[in-house]
Structures are given as structure tokens and as C-alpha cells.
Amino acid sequence: MEHRIFFLMLGVIVTFCDVTSEETFRLKIGIVGTWTPVFDELLRTIGLSHPWQIYNITTAKPKSQYDKMLKVKDFLTDNQIDVILGPYDDATGIVADKLRVPYICTTGSKRNLNYTFQILPPLEDFSQAIFDMTKSYQWDKVSLFYDDLRGVYIMEQLLTNHDMMVKSWHVKGGSDIKAVEKQVRDHLVRMRQAFVQKSIIFCSKEHTEIILDQARSLAMLSQPSEWFFYDPGDQLVPVFKNFPDVFVNFTVFGLMEFDSRNEITSVDDSRRLNISLAADSLRLLNATLPKAVEVQRNEAAFTIAEELRKIRIPGYTGDIEFGPNGRRYNYTIKLSEIEGLDSLQIFVTRHHDVWKRGFLLYHVGVWRSHSNSKEDKIHFEEVKRLNRNYSFPLKGRTVSVVMILEKPFTMQKRDYMQRLGNDRFEGFAVDLITEVAKMLDFNFEIYLVHDGKFGTKKENGEWNGMIGELLAGNATMLVAPLSINSQREEAVDFTKPFMTRYISVLMRVPKSEQSYFEFLNPLHHNVWYCTFGAFMMVSVILYFLERFGIRQNKDYPTISFRESFWFVFGSLLQGNTDSSPSTLPGRILTSAWWFFALILISSYTANLAAFLTVKKINTPIKSVTDLASQTKIKYGTVKSSGIMFFFKNTNIEHFAKMWAQMSEVDPSSMVDSTDEGFKKVKDGNYAFFWDTTVNKYKTIEDCQFMEIGPHFDPKGFGIGVPPGAIYREDLSMAILKLSDTGMLHQLENKWWPSRSCPDLSKPSADETSELSIDSVAGVFFILLGGIALAGIVCGFEHFAKVVKKAAKTNKVVNILHTLVLVNRLLHQNCTDFIFYVE
């Protein structure tokens, strides 16, 4: 009985000792780096099944890696650490492997250590998942944005697919946010120029947000563009919240459910991955502790390590299982597509099982590692991708529109200095983009191209002008009279043409030379000479016919030589004279002369009316080909314009000849702008090749200009967009609708009204004008001359008469004087005689 009591008491004591030893087992946990607060918080929240004690592994300023390893060894052995948790540290991993202390690291490791367990899947697995996805979708082009060395590894993996072109863009960080934004924008512009529509983002959250913000400003966040993100810890949710209006494929590679929420991850998004990895670490410890407390104290660490090799449990980051090398496998990487929602969609889909915090979530695929064996292949299980409803990417946004000053497409209002924004401008292009914006529901801001050029490819391969603005990403579209040609089409995309233009020649209307003797123009000078000769000849012949002919009536006075000329001249002017022919031959000649005068005067009168009342122009150039056959009038066009390249590349003989004249013989004929070309035309002796739309407006605006035909080289004006911009089709459809509704025709009539200037090249009754004094001043001069001549003749006659009269008077006086003298002599003689008689 006493023996039984002894053994019973001994069993109780042993049992008590076992219980006491189990209860007093305290797990000693070493924490690496700065993760101590994370584990402290989780241990207070979820705890462990056995007591624990945390030790922060610190090494005070080691002199070398070896010195650090010695200090870590001393720390682990002195404190009898059972397990190490936290991010991977190389010195700690090597020492733990030698001491056989399990090291559950929450970050990746490049070493294969037997006692290091990587709870975060290695980068190689994510790289392989991305590679398998590109193969499954059969991509031929992809862009990779990265900001650290991990991106280089992804790029090397993608380059092994020789059927796919990989464009990689390194995003360099820095404190200057503006510099980073400019760098990213340049990357995106070059990516668009390469027509790459698939992009993989392997960057930090800050850089990812910058990339998406710049892509949205370039209208690259819309179909068919697709964006893929490396986000194992569901940290990009706050980034995507800033793009709720974007309808595009955002695909996320992650370990965790997108926008995951549970008892330990309902924290700040930036800490979600770290807390989930730390929680999974504690969950692993809890699963191994029952075996660890059953062995001796110095065997606990080894037991925990052996249990970790065999364990398989679900975790916050998916199923957790380790292979012999301590790497995690048999887990899944989830591929989730997300789409932002507007208010209407949120109302409709609020009860959708995949609706989360303003997003629609679609599980489109998983990548699973089946085994840690090299013979077992990992594969990508594709789920049918969704067909998204397309939405115009510029809807509700404000975009930049680049234009160039060119009448009547874009003009500054007279008081533009007192106006702001788009209200400063007017013109056909301004009205066109306004109508398009109303139809497609977007806003725009107009700015003028800085260098004042349309767009030409320079020797270094870059573009200037408006095309350069598009390619640089400064503008979302260009609206201007920019003709579509093959070279420009290779650089940017164009919509359907909103107008067709030709090339025409603009010249100054020749100045009409006013003459005081305009009334002489109806008859050629030879006719005037012949008429004068006929007048002289008829006058002489008439005199001789009247002199030697038989007069029918001898009472008629004979026509003298002077009267003959006067009669013929009076007959020509349909006037009457006192004398007339009295002989039959003279009357026959007079009848012929009258008939001649009738026809001549009638023809002159009719022609005079046409010459003086209808303004006709005699242009030195009738057509474009006339320019090539002369050298007096210079001709040219705007440098680096589409018209210049037409002449430069043409094979048409006379156009090629004209290009040689413009470029080699007389380079000064080329101008830098249309305004300079118009000025040279106005100065005279210059012909300007330019678009018919602009030339026509110039002739309407200023009657001193005229167009010379025929028109040639038809091309279209279209709205330019960056290469690969998907909204081009929307703009094209808007232009077609404006054309169908007649709006384009109304805008053309508004800015190209009927020309009020007379068409001087086509004389007609509608274009007659009253006679001006300049046209008939010569008649008045002749009349004045006749009056003056008549006055002079009259004066001469009067003077002759006075002289003659004076001479006659002097003669009478002399006679009277003589008579007086005679009388005096006679009287004196008589007196002497009487005296003598007496």
C-alpha cells in the first residue's frame, strides 16, 4: 500500500514537473532590423500559444562583415535565441545556418541556406509569372518601367523571349519631383512613338503614381493600352483611387487579394504587406510550438526548423509551404483586373460580389508553382479576359491644343490683350475644335506653337513646329491647316480630313496705267495714222476734182484748197460747212468718204464704250506654267512647309524646274512665314505658292491680291494626334458627323464669304463702271487746246487786222499831209503871184 502511495506521489511529482517545465517554456525570438514594432503590435493582437520574449538583434557599428557575423553569433548564443524573424540580413543568415537556428525572413534572399525560410516568394517567381503571361497573351511589344535593380532582372527575363520587343525605361528617383515627372513624360512619349501599348510597372508606389499621372495627361490610360503592376502586398490601392474615371486594363500581380481587408490588414496601405508577412511568420511559429516544447530546451530551434520543412498552412499571403532549400512554393500569384467606377456604375454594381471601394475587380488568372523540383514546370492558367466597354479617354478632361496663327484658321482678336484663355482666339480652327469638344464632352486650352512652324523633320531626326509639340507630349492634338503627307503620317496620326486644300499662286493685282488720252485706245495707232492719211488724201483729191470737174450748178461757190480740207474734216466729225462739192466726181468721192466715216465712227464709239466702262486686266502670268518660263517675277513658298517638300520631291518637269530656281538660283525667294510671303506679294513682282484656303481668304480680305490657277496637288487637312493615340477614331467620327449635318459647310461660309472685289479678269456688264475724269481728260485737253489755238489764231488775225488798218491809216495821213503841203505851196505861190501882179 505504501509502495503504491509512493509511486502515485512520484507520478504526480513527475507530472507536475512536466507541466511546470511546459508552462515555463519561453520562446526566445530574435527580431532583425526595424521590424520590432511590427511584431510587438501583432503579438499583442494575436499572440502565440506559449510565452515568448523578443530580442532585438543589434550589432553596434561592425568593422567588417566578419566582425558583424561574430557579434551576431555572440548575441544568438548568449541569449539562446530559438528563432529569428524579420527581413533578410546576410550576416545573420549565415550565422543562423551554422548554429541551426531557423530564420523566417520576410524579404527575398539570394543565398540557398538550409535554415533560412523565405516567406516572401522570390523575385524569380514573379519574373517567371510575368514572362509566362506575355507568352500566353502572345505579345509582340512591351514596355518595362523600373526604378531599382529588381527591374533589371525582370528585363533580362523578358529578353529571353526573342519574339517580343522589350522597351525598358529606368525611372531615376530624386528630390526634384518636376525633374522626375519630365523624365517619366519623356519615357512615355518615346514609348508612344514606338507604338507600344502594353506596359509593366515595376516601381515604387510614388513612381507608379507619377507614371500614371503623366500617362493620363498624354491620354495613354485608355484602350487599347494595358498596364500591369507588380504589387505583391496590395499597396497600390491608394494610387488607383486617384484614377476612378479611367477605363483601361489595370492588371495587378499580387500575393494578396486586391484591396484586402481582414483583422490584421485593415491598416495603412503602405504597411499591409509587411504586417501580412509578419502575421504569417507568427502563424508558422504557432504551428511548430507544440513539437518544440516537447523536446529539450537546446533542441527547440532544431525542432522548429524541421517542423517548418514539413508544414503547410493557409496564410494571409496564401498557402505557405517550404521546400528543402527554404524557398516557398505551392502558392499562387493572383492576376486581377480592376476598373474605376463613376457614380452611375457604383449605384448599379454596389451589390456586386467583386465591387470594392470604388473599383470593379475581375480575377483573370493565376500563376501557380506546383513543386520545388526542377523537372516540374510552373505554368500560367489563363482565365478568359473581359471585354470592356470603350469610353472616350478625353471625356471630362481638359486637353492642350496647339495651333498656329494662320488666317482664317486661327487669329487673335483685336482686343486679345484684354482677354484670357481661348477667348483670345477666333477662326475656323477654333470653331471646329469647339464643335468637336461639345460633341465629345471635353474641354481644351489653346496655345500657339512657340517656333511658329508647322512641322518639319530636322537633320538629327527630330521634329520642330506643331508636330514636335505633339511628339514631345506638350499637346494632346493639333488643329491647323497642316496638310497630310507621307512624312508627317510616319511621325504622327491624323484624323479624317476636315477640309481639302490645293496649291495656288497668289499675286498682286497689276496696277492699271491711267492715260489722259484713254479715248485713243479703241483704235490702234496704225488706224489713226491711216485715218489721217486718208483725210489728207481725200482732201487733196477733192480739191482737184472740184477744180477740173464740170460743176452741175454754177451758182455754187467753188471749193478752194482750204475749204476742201475743212469740208472733209467736218464730214468725218459729222459737221456741216458752207461749201460742198458741186461736181459729180466730187460728190462720189464725198459719198465714199461719208460711208468710211460712218463705219469708222460707229466702230470707234462702240469700242470706246467697252474700253472706258469695262475694266479689264492684263496679267503678265496666266497660269502656273507661265512662271517657269520667265525670270522677271520671282516666286517662292514658306521654308520647311509641306508645299516646299512637294516642289522638292516632285518629278513633274516644270515644278522641278521651279524648285531649282527657288532653292539654288534665287534662295532669297523662300520666306520664313506666310506673313512675309504676303508682304513680298504686296510689294510687287513676286508670286507666292500657298494653300488655296489661305490664298482665297487673302483675296477676300484685300482686293489687291488675286489667285492664279489652275490649282494642283490636292491634300487634306486633318487634326493631328500623337502616334498610337486611340482617340483619333473618335475625333474622326466627330468630323464626319459635322460634315453630315452641314456644320463644316456653315463654318466655311462663315470664314470664306463671297468676294466683294470685282473679278477683273472677266469683263461683263455686271462689272462696268462710270467713266472717270482720268479716262476722258484728253478730250478736255484737246478742247482746251482747240480753244487756245483758236484764240491764238484770232489774236493773230486781230493783230494782222490792226496792223493792216494802221498801215492804211498812215497812208491816208501821208496823203492828207501831202495835200496840205501842196495846198500850202499852192496858196503861197498864189500870194506871190498876186503880189507880183500887183
Side-chain angles (χ1 to χ4, degrees), residues 412-440:
Q412 290 176 327
K413 296 180 179 179
R414 292 184 178 180
D415 57 343
Y416 72 96
M417 296 294 292
Q418 285 75 40
R419 298 175 181 266
L420 297 174
N422 299 338
D423 193 40
R424 297 169 296 164
F425 306 100
E426 63 179 352
F428 178 85
V430 179
D431 290 348
L432 174 64
I433 191 61
T434 301
E435 294 297 329
V436 172
K438 288 180 182 178
M439 186 175 296
L440 298 178

mmCIF file of all heavy atoms in Angstrom, residues 412-440:
data_model
loop_
_atom_site.group_PDB
_atom_site.id
_atom_site.type_symbol
_atom_site.label_atom_id
_atom_site.label_comp_id
_atom_site.label_asym_id
_atom_site.label_seq_id
_atom_site.Cartn_x
_atom_site.Cartn_y
_atom_site.Cartn_z
ATOM 1 N N GLN A 412 -5.827 86.072 -83.736
ATOM 2 C CA GLN A 412 -6.001 86.744 -82.457
ATOM 3 C C GLN A 412 -7.003 87.882 -82.621
ATOM 4 O O GLN A 412 -6.939 88.635 -83.591
ATOM 5 C CB GLN A 412 -4.665 87.293 -81.952
ATOM 6 C CG GLN A 412 -3.692 86.205 -81.511
ATOM 7 C CD GLN A 412 -2.344 86.767 -81.105
ATOM 8 O OE1 GLN A 412 -1.898 87.764 -81.663
ATOM 9 N NE2 GLN A 412 -1.701 86.131 -80.145
ATOM 10 N N LYS A 413 -7.910 87.987 -81.682
ATOM 11 C CA LYS A 413 -8.884 89.056 -81.724
ATOM 12 C C LYS A 413 -8.189 90.403 -81.527
ATOM 13 O O LYS A 413 -7.083 90.474 -80.999
ATOM 14 C CB LYS A 413 -9.954 88.843 -80.647
ATOM 15 C CG LYS A 413 -10.793 87.592 -80.857
ATOM 16 C CD LYS A 413 -11.832 87.430 -79.766
ATOM 17 C CE LYS A 413 -12.691 86.192 -79.993
ATOM 18 N NZ LYS A 413 -13.689 85.998 -78.925
ATOM 19 N N ARG A 414 -8.844 91.443 -81.973
ATOM 20 C CA ARG A 414 -8.231 92.766 -81.900
ATOM 21 C C ARG A 414 -7.890 93.163 -80.471
ATOM 22 O O ARG A 414 -6.866 93.778 -80.218
ATOM 23 C CB ARG A 414 -9.171 93.801 -82.515
ATOM 24 C CG ARG A 414 -9.351 93.644 -84.027
ATOM 25 C CD ARG A 414 -10.217 94.761 -84.585
ATOM 26 N NE ARG A 414 -10.349 94.634 -86.043
ATOM 27 C CZ ARG A 414 -11.045 95.479 -86.796
ATOM 28 N NH1 ARG A 414 -11.663 96.507 -86.219
ATOM 29 N NH2 ARG A 414 -11.117 95.304 -88.106
ATOM 30 N N ASP A 415 -8.742 92.790 -79.536
ATOM 31 C CA ASP A 415 -8.509 93.126 -78.136
ATOM 32 C C ASP A 415 -8.042 91.909 -77.339
ATOM 33 O O ASP A 415 -8.417 91.740 -76.174
ATOM 34 C CB ASP A 415 -9.772 93.707 -77.511
ATOM 35 C CG ASP A 415 -10.959 92.765 -77.619
ATOM 36 O OD1 ASP A 415 -10.897 91.818 -78.435
ATOM 37 O OD2 ASP A 415 -11.947 92.953 -76.889
ATOM 38 N N TYR A 416 -7.248 91.055 -77.976
ATOM 39 C CA TYR A 416 -6.847 89.809 -77.313
ATOM 40 C C TYR A 416 -6.014 90.071 -76.053
ATOM 41 O O TYR A 416 -5.946 89.216 -75.163
ATOM 42 C CB TYR A 416 -6.070 88.916 -78.287
ATOM 43 C CG TYR A 416 -4.678 89.388 -78.611
ATOM 44 C CD1 TYR A 416 -3.574 88.896 -77.922
ATOM 45 C CD2 TYR A 416 -4.449 90.321 -79.615
ATOM 46 C CE1 TYR A 416 -2.297 89.327 -78.225
ATOM 47 C CE2 TYR A 416 -3.179 90.759 -79.926
ATOM 48 C CZ TYR A 416 -2.104 90.259 -79.226
ATOM 49 O OH TYR A 416 -0.835 90.677 -79.523
ATOM 50 N N MET A 417 -5.363 91.240 -75.973
ATOM 51 C CA MET A 417 -4.566 91.543 -74.785
ATOM 52 C C MET A 417 -5.445 91.699 -73.550
ATOM 53 O O MET A 417 -4.980 91.493 -72.422
ATOM 54 C CB MET A 417 -3.766 92.828 -75.009
ATOM 55 C CG MET A 417 -2.740 92.723 -76.127
ATOM 56 S SD MET A 417 -1.412 91.557 -75.746
ATOM 57 C CE MET A 417 -0.597 92.407 -74.416
ATOM 58 N N GLN A 418 -6.709 92.036 -73.739
ATOM 59 C CA GLN A 418 -7.623 92.205 -72.610
ATOM 60 C C GLN A 418 -8.428 90.930 -72.335
ATOM 61 O O GLN A 418 -9.269 90.915 -71.435
ATOM 62 C CB GLN A 418 -8.614 93.353 -72.874
ATOM 63 C CG GLN A 418 -8.007 94.747 -72.733
ATOM 64 C CD GLN A 418 -7.129 95.139 -73.891
ATOM 65 O OE1 GLN A 418 -7.462 94.851 -75.038
ATOM 66 N NE2 GLN A 418 -6.003 95.788 -73.609
ATOM 67 N N ARG A 419 -8.174 89.881 -73.092
ATOM 68 C CA ARG A 419 -8.921 88.633 -72.924
ATOM 69 C C ARG A 419 -8.021 87.549 -72.358
ATOM 70 O O ARG A 419 -6.789 87.663 -72.362
ATOM 71 C CB ARG A 419 -9.521 88.178 -74.255
ATOM 72 C CG ARG A 419 -10.525 89.175 -74.838
ATOM 73 C CD ARG A 419 -10.988 88.734 -76.210
ATOM 74 N NE ARG A 419 -11.918 89.675 -76.811
ATOM 75 C CZ ARG A 419 -13.237 89.575 -76.732
ATOM 76 N NH1 ARG A 419 -13.775 88.557 -76.074
ATOM 77 N NH2 ARG A 419 -14.013 90.457 -77.314
ATOM 78 N N LEU A 420 -8.642 86.458 -71.902
ATOM 79 C CA LEU A 420 -7.908 85.354 -71.307
ATOM 80 C C LEU A 420 -8.306 84.046 -71.974
ATOM 81 O O LEU A 420 -9.420 83.895 -72.492
ATOM 82 C CB LEU A 420 -8.192 85.266 -69.806
ATOM 83 C CG LEU A 420 -7.766 86.476 -68.944
ATOM 84 C CD1 LEU A 420 -8.249 86.277 -67.509
ATOM 85 C CD2 LEU A 420 -6.263 86.681 -68.983
ATOM 86 N N GLY A 421 -7.385 83.089 -71.935
ATOM 87 C CA GLY A 421 -7.681 81.738 -72.391
ATOM 88 C C GLY A 421 -8.053 81.660 -73.854
ATOM 89 O O GLY A 421 -7.535 82.390 -74.707
ATOM 90 N N ASN A 422 -8.985 80.765 -74.146
ATOM 91 C CA ASN A 422 -9.401 80.544 -75.533
ATOM 92 C C ASN A 422 -10.137 81.735 -76.128
ATOM 93 O O ASN A 422 -10.258 81.843 -77.353
ATOM 94 C CB ASN A 422 -10.299 79.303 -75.613
ATOM 95 C CG ASN A 422 -9.582 78.051 -75.165
ATOM 96 O OD1 ASN A 422 -8.355 77.991 -75.176
ATOM 97 N ND2 ASN A 422 -10.334 77.041 -74.749
ATOM 98 N N ASP A 423 -10.630 82.633 -75.266
ATOM 99 C CA ASP A 423 -11.372 83.788 -75.760
ATOM 100 C C ASP A 423 -10.481 84.765 -76.525
ATOM 101 O O ASP A 423 -10.973 85.688 -77.167
ATOM 102 C CB ASP A 423 -12.036 84.502 -74.580
ATOM 103 C CG ASP A 423 -13.076 85.518 -75.033
ATOM 104 O OD1 ASP A 423 -13.813 85.212 -75.989
ATOM 105 O OD2 ASP A 423 -13.139 86.604 -74.443
ATOM 106 N N ARG A 424 -9.170 84.545 -76.481
ATOM 107 C CA ARG A 424 -8.257 85.419 -77.221
ATOM 108 C C ARG A 424 -8.252 85.117 -78.709
ATOM 109 O O ARG A 424 -7.786 85.931 -79.503
ATOM 110 C CB ARG A 424 -6.832 85.270 -76.690
ATOM 111 C CG ARG A 424 -6.645 85.678 -75.232
ATOM 112 C CD ARG A 424 -5.280 85.251 -74.747
ATOM 113 N NE ARG A 424 -5.143 83.813 -74.745
ATOM 114 C CZ ARG A 424 -3.974 83.159 -74.658
ATOM 115 N NH1 ARG A 424 -2.848 83.853 -74.609
ATOM 116 N NH2 ARG A 424 -3.939 81.843 -74.646
ATOM 117 N N PHE A 425 -8.753 83.951 -79.096
ATOM 118 C CA PHE A 425 -8.596 83.489 -80.467
ATOM 119 C C PHE A 425 -9.945 83.350 -81.162
ATOM 120 O O PHE A 425 -10.985 83.153 -80.523
ATOM 121 C CB PHE A 425 -7.859 82.141 -80.497
ATOM 122 C CG PHE A 425 -6.542 82.144 -79.773
ATOM 123 C CD1 PHE A 425 -6.427 81.637 -78.494
ATOM 124 C CD2 PHE A 425 -5.420 82.674 -80.385
ATOM 125 C CE1 PHE A 425 -5.213 81.645 -77.825
ATOM 126 C CE2 PHE A 425 -4.195 82.689 -79.738
ATOM 127 C CZ PHE A 425 -4.105 82.179 -78.453
ATOM 128 N N GLU A 426 -9.882 83.411 -82.477
ATOM 129 C CA GLU A 426 -11.046 83.173 -83.309
ATOM 130 C C GLU A 426 -10.565 82.595 -84.630
ATOM 131 O O GLU A 426 -9.380 82.655 -84.970
ATOM 132 C CB GLU A 426 -11.810 84.475 -83.550
ATOM 133 C CG GLU A 426 -11.019 85.530 -84.318
ATOM 134 C CD GLU A 426 -11.822 86.790 -84.553
ATOM 135 O OE1 GLU A 426 -13.026 86.781 -84.259
ATOM 136 O OE2 GLU A 426 -11.242 87.783 -85.054
ATOM 137 N N GLY A 427 -11.503 82.007 -85.367
ATOM 138 C CA GLY A 427 -11.156 81.457 -86.666
ATOM 139 C C GLY A 427 -11.830 80.122 -86.909
ATOM 140 O O GLY A 427 -12.539 79.570 -86.050
ATOM 141 N N PHE A 428 -11.608 79.595 -88.098
ATOM 142 C CA PHE A 428 -12.228 78.328 -88.480
ATOM 143 C C PHE A 428 -11.764 77.197 -87.579
ATOM 144 O O PHE A 428 -12.574 76.372 -87.134
ATOM 145 C CB PHE A 428 -11.880 78.025 -89.935
ATOM 146 C CG PHE A 428 -12.419 76.713 -90.424
ATOM 147 C CD1 PHE A 428 -13.712 76.612 -90.920
ATOM 148 C CD2 PHE A 428 -11.642 75.564 -90.389
ATOM 149 C CE1 PHE A 428 -14.207 75.395 -91.367
ATOM 150 C CE2 PHE A 428 -12.124 74.345 -90.837
ATOM 151 C CZ PHE A 428 -13.416 74.267 -91.327
ATOM 152 N N ALA A 429 -10.452 77.109 -87.305
ATOM 153 C CA ALA A 429 -9.931 76.027 -86.467
ATOM 154 C C ALA A 429 -10.475 76.113 -85.055
ATOM 155 O O ALA A 429 -10.765 75.088 -84.419
ATOM 156 C CB ALA A 429 -8.403 76.065 -86.457
ATOM 157 N N VAL A 430 -10.614 77.314 -84.532
ATOM 158 C CA VAL A 430 -11.159 77.499 -83.183
ATOM 159 C C VAL A 430 -12.611 77.033 -83.136
ATOM 160 O O VAL A 430 -13.028 76.330 -82.205
ATOM 161 C CB VAL A 430 -11.035 78.965 -82.753
ATOM 162 C CG1 VAL A 430 -11.629 79.169 -81.357
ATOM 163 C CG2 VAL A 430 -9.578 79.411 -82.774
ATOM 164 N N ASP A 431 -13.400 77.409 -84.139
ATOM 165 C CA ASP A 431 -14.801 76.971 -84.172
ATOM 166 C C ASP A 431 -14.898 75.459 -84.356
ATOM 167 O O ASP A 431 -15.782 74.812 -83.780
ATOM 168 C CB ASP A 431 -15.535 77.683 -85.313
ATOM 169 C CG ASP A 431 -15.735 79.166 -85.032
ATOM 170 O OD1 ASP A 431 -15.509 79.576 -83.879
ATOM 171 O OD2 ASP A 431 -16.103 79.901 -85.961
ATOM 172 N N LEU A 432 -13.996 74.900 -85.156
ATOM 173 C CA LEU A 432 -14.029 73.454 -85.406
ATOM 174 C C LEU A 432 -13.780 72.670 -84.128
ATOM 175 O O LEU A 432 -14.552 71.757 -83.790
ATOM 176 C CB LEU A 432 -12.993 73.091 -86.464
ATOM 177 C CG LEU A 432 -12.812 71.587 -86.735
ATOM 178 C CD1 LEU A 432 -14.085 70.987 -87.310
ATOM 179 C CD2 LEU A 432 -11.638 71.348 -87.678
ATOM 180 N N ILE A 433 -12.714 72.987 -83.393
ATOM 181 C CA ILE A 433 -12.418 72.228 -82.182
ATOM 182 C C ILE A 433 -13.471 72.486 -81.114
ATOM 183 O O ILE A 433 -13.749 71.618 -80.273
ATOM 184 C CB ILE A 433 -11.004 72.573 -81.665
ATOM 185 C CG1 ILE A 433 -10.578 71.591 -80.571
ATOM 186 C CG2 ILE A 433 -10.927 73.995 -81.179
ATOM 187 C CD1 ILE A 433 -10.516 70.153 -81.024
ATOM 188 N N THR A 434 -14.097 73.654 -81.147
ATOM 189 C CA THR A 434 -15.182 73.924 -80.203
ATOM 190 C C THR A 434 -16.358 72.990 -80.454
ATOM 191 O O THR A 434 -16.932 72.426 -79.507
ATOM 192 C CB THR A 434 -15.632 75.395 -80.317
ATOM 193 O OG1 THR A 434 -14.525 76.260 -80.041
ATOM 194 C CG2 THR A 434 -16.758 75.685 -79.343
ATOM 195 N N GLU A 435 -16.728 72.802 -81.714
ATOM 196 C CA GLU A 435 -17.832 71.900 -82.047
ATOM 197 C C GLU A 435 -17.474 70.456 -81.718
ATOM 198 O O GLU A 435 -18.310 69.702 -81.208
ATOM 199 C CB GLU A 435 -18.176 72.034 -83.530
ATOM 200 C CG GLU A 435 -18.748 73.391 -83.925
ATOM 201 C CD GLU A 435 -20.063 73.692 -83.242
ATOM 202 O OE1 GLU A 435 -20.808 72.728 -82.958
ATOM 203 O OE2 GLU A 435 -20.343 74.867 -82.970
ATOM 204 N N VAL A 436 -16.251 70.054 -81.999
ATOM 205 C CA VAL A 436 -15.817 68.687 -81.691
ATOM 206 C C VAL A 436 -15.832 68.451 -80.182
ATOM 207 O O VAL A 436 -16.267 67.394 -79.710
ATOM 208 C CB VAL A 436 -14.411 68.426 -82.282
ATOM 209 C CG1 VAL A 436 -13.867 67.082 -81.791
ATOM 210 C CG2 VAL A 436 -14.462 68.455 -83.798
ATOM 211 N N ALA A 437 -15.356 69.432 -79.409
ATOM 212 C CA ALA A 437 -15.323 69.295 -77.954
ATOM 213 C C ALA A 437 -16.736 69.187 -77.374
ATOM 214 O O ALA A 437 -16.980 68.427 -76.433
ATOM 215 C CB ALA A 437 -14.577 70.484 -77.341
ATOM 216 N N LYS A 438 -17.678 69.941 -77.933
ATOM 217 C CA LYS A 438 -19.059 69.833 -77.473
ATOM 218 C C LYS A 438 -19.613 68.438 -77.744
ATOM 219 O O LYS A 438 -20.318 67.863 -76.915
ATOM 220 C CB LYS A 438 -19.922 70.881 -78.179
ATOM 221 C CG LYS A 438 -19.679 72.310 -77.727
ATOM 222 C CD LYS A 438 -20.584 73.266 -78.494
ATOM 223 C CE LYS A 438 -20.333 74.716 -78.091
ATOM 224 N NZ LYS A 438 -21.193 75.653 -78.869
ATOM 225 N N MET A 439 -19.271 67.907 -78.910
ATOM 226 C CA MET A 439 -19.810 66.606 -79.284
ATOM 227 C C MET A 439 -19.228 65.486 -78.429
ATOM 228 O O MET A 439 -19.939 64.546 -78.039
ATOM 229 C CB MET A 439 -19.518 66.349 -80.766
ATOM 230 C CG MET A 439 -20.158 65.098 -81.328
ATOM 231 S SD MET A 439 -19.881 64.962 -83.107
ATOM 232 C CE MET A 439 -20.770 66.409 -83.697
ATOM 233 N N LEU A 440 -17.940 65.572 -78.089
ATOM 234 C CA LEU A 440 -17.260 64.507 -77.359
ATOM 235 C C LEU A 440 -17.126 64.793 -75.870
ATOM 236 O O LEU A 440 -16.549 63.987 -75.142
ATOM 237 C CB LEU A 440 -15.879 64.254 -77.960
ATOM 238 C CG LEU A 440 -15.869 63.771 -79.414
ATOM 239 C CD1 LEU A 440 -14.444 63.602 -79.910
ATOM 240 C CD2 LEU A 440 -16.632 62.459 -79.554
#
